[in-house]
Amino acid sequence: MIRISEVFSEFTNQIITGIGAKSARKLGSEYFLVRTNDPHEIQESDAGKFIRWNLPIQHSWPCNPEQMEGFVEKAAQAIYRKFGKLTFQAIFIGQLDPGASNRYYKSLASNLRGRALQLFPQKIAEFKEIEAQNSEVPTLFCLVGKEGLFCGVQSPKAANGLYPGGTKYISQSAPDTISRAGAKIAEALHYLLMHRSAPAKGSHWLELGASPGGMTSELLGRDYKVTAIDRAPLDKRLDHHPGLRFFLSDVATFEPKGRTNFKAILSDMNGEAQDAIRHVIRLSKHLSHGGLVIFTLKTPGVATFAEINESFVAVVQSTAAAGLRLFARTHLTYNRLEFTLFFEKDSLS
Ligand SMILES: C[S@@+](CC[C@H](N)C(=O)[O-])C[C@H]1O[C@@H](n2cnc3c(N)ncnc32)[C@H](O)[C@@H]1O
């Protein structure tokens, strides 16, 4: 089962054939059941970066739960029969249509998980925090919706997300939310946990293209220090924040003073991806060894599937030559027609 965001709907066929899949059946608004010879192709192919989340399905029960008497009990017993002898760290169950306004499937997923946990050994039943999963250890993930129940065992890292379906919901309605980009960095930092630890509290970030400051405020809220640059101003609510230095200028002319060393660079600059990554590379000489880069790869004016892939390859080639190693790339829930790329600065560069 693969999940392709609706923002990529015009590329669905190319994505499905790109991972070597032969047939597809749509489930909910963003999921597809596909048949592949080699599930590893899903993550590794060019098309893999368009796939938010994936799960090898080992148990499926196509049915309409709303019309099925005793669905929760029957489904929980079936899950236990199928997976009772397998080894995994936790059980998490989500809904096939996470955007549904009707909460029926949200509570069904929660009730089904509750009942299934009663049937499994204590160790699994005690596992409550999604974030506490070991990203390398298999978890039993299930998704339920009006098309039925679909379950499989896979590590969060191979599935590409700690949550069933890959989405961590981040509220964007708080009165102090400056821009929706705040949710993007919050989700990116959560996703990062599957690959490495986040920079320690107090670490100094360099932020390129920061206005109006949604991401800046998220970083400051995590007790990071931020040097932010944009040719447009930041939201007034960030004025005088003790952890923030802001430069109203073009990134092209920015040069940090003295021996400033950053633990991380964040770039959400709009415009050509090649221009943006050139700025990141130039400024990465001020990044510590092992330092982190989070880069939004935007695709303005890039119309086709092939052009998006070419832009991605060009960015990764230029960063590799500069000693920045790509260790993860994904399409986050809060990404539009763009990807979030994660790099680490080589220890030797
Ligand atoms: C998508 S917005 C950033 C949103 C921001 N991350 C937030 O959290 O609110 C992109 C920003 O990049 C800035 N930008 C693009 N190229 C730039 C450059 N060369 N120098 C300075 N700012 C640049 C734009 O002015 C714009 O404010």
Side-chain angles (χ1 to χ4, degrees):
M1 174 188 279
I2 58 173
R3 181 175 185 187
I4 303 173
S5 165
E6 280 181 317
V7 300
F8 295 132
S9 54
E10 63 178 301
F11 304 132
T12 301
N13 289 340
Q14 285 154 299
I15 297 166
I16 288 171
T17 49
I19 58 167
K22 297 194 178 40
S23 58
R25 203 184 116 211
K26 195 164 184 191
L27 301 172
S29 52
E30 296 194 334
Y31 290 92
F32 295 83
L33 269 184
V34 297
R35 213 168 264 289
T36 51
N37 291 333
D38 179 2
H40 297 294
E41 274 187 56
I42 292 181
Q43 289 259 25
E44 279 156 27
S45 62
D46 273 352
K49 64 180 163 300
F50 293 82
I51 294 176
R52 161 97 38 84
W53 199 76
N54 75 90
L55 186 68
I57 298 301
Q58 291 154 288
H59 171 65
S60 66
W61 184 16
C63 66
N64 182 346
E66 287 178 69
Q67 286 172 8
M68 174 90 43
E69 204 169 308
F71 171 81
V72 166
E73 184 60 28
K74 287 179 188 155
Q77 295 289 349
I79 289 172
Y80 184 66
R81 276 197 304 279
K82 182 77 193 182
F83 297 99
K85 292 205 169 62
L86 300 186
T87 307
F88 47 87
Q89 60 183 331
I91 303 176
F92 289 110
I93 302 182
Q95 40 178 349
L96 273 173
D97 201 351
S101 49
N102 161 352
R103 294 178 66 82
Y104 177 82
Y105 284 101
K106 191 172 179 18
S107 40
L108 191 72
S110 156
N111 293 343
L112 176 54
R113 176 167 188 264
R115 178 64 188 122
L117 287 179
Q118 291 172 343
L119 303 173
F120 278 87
Q122 195 77 2
K123 195 159 86 58
I124 288 162
E126 277 172 0
F127 206 110
K128 300 217 165 34
E129 286 297 320
I130 279 200
E131 279 80 5
Q133 290 173 91
N134 179 330
S135 66
E136 312 269 359
V137 173
T139 289
L140 170 56
F141 288 110
C142 301
L143 288 163
V144 66
K146 59 182 170 33
E147 292 88 353
L149 175 70
F150 302 86
C151 305
V153 172
Q154 171 147 267
S155 73
K157 204 165 178 176
N160 199 39
L162 293 161
Y163 280 76
T167 293
K168 176 175 170 60
Y169 176 74
I170 294 159
S171 168
Q172 295 177 79
S173 58
D176 51 348
T177 299
I178 291 177
S179 74
R180 59 175 287 286
K184 212 158 62 178
I185 187 65
E187 193 187 3
L189 289 171
H190 177 262
Y191 178 90
L192 176 70
L193 294 178
M194 287 194 302
H195 295 271
R196 53 162 273 178
S197 52
K201 275 186 182 181
S203 299
H204 193 173
W205 287 65
L206 174 63
E207 189 187 354
L208 311 178
S211 168
M215 291 185 165
T216 320
S217 91
E218 279 289 329
L219 293 178
L220 293 169
R222 287 171 163 73
D223 292 332
Y224 291 127
K225 284 199 296 183
V226 182
T227 293
I229 302 130
D230 203 300
R231 22 181 201 227
L234 290 185
D235 189 285
K236 290 261 170 276
R237 283 170 284 179
L238 294 171
D239 281 359
H240 313 301
H241 195 294
L244 173 66
R245 291 184 70 203
F246 176 61
F247 294 87
L248 183 70
S249 73
D250 196 302
V251 169
T253 61
F254 175 76
E255 191 59 49
K257 291 226 164 59
R259 297 169 66 86
T260 314
N261 216 356
F262 299 101
K263 285 279 186 280
I265 298 179
L266 169 62
S267 167
D268 192 34
M269 272 182 284
N270 50 14
E272 290 293 321
Q274 279 306 314
D275 289 341
I277 204 68
R278 246 195 314 275
H279 294 307
V280 171
I281 289 172
R282 179 178 69 80
L283 290 163
S284 70
K285 63 176 181 289
H286 302 283
L287 184 64
S288 313
H289 294 301
L292 173 72
V293 177
I294 301 184
F295 177 76
T296 314
L297 173 71
K298 311 219 178 224
T299 57
V302 173
T304 68
F305 182 68
E307 283 169 339
I308 293 177
N309 288 326
E310 282 159 20
S311 170
F312 176 83
V313 169
V315 162
V316 174
Q317 280 174 352
S318 52
T319 44
L324 297 173
R325 179 184 62 85
L326 179 80
F327 65 88
R329 44 87 171 117
T330 193
H331 183 260
L332 299 166
T333 317
Y334 299 96
N335 279 138
R336 290 196 176 134
L337 210 62
E338 59 191 19
F339 299 92
T340 298
L341 275 50
F342 299 81
F343 302 91
E344 195 169 80
K345 182 166 166 172
D346 284 349
S347 300
L348 299 174
S349 62

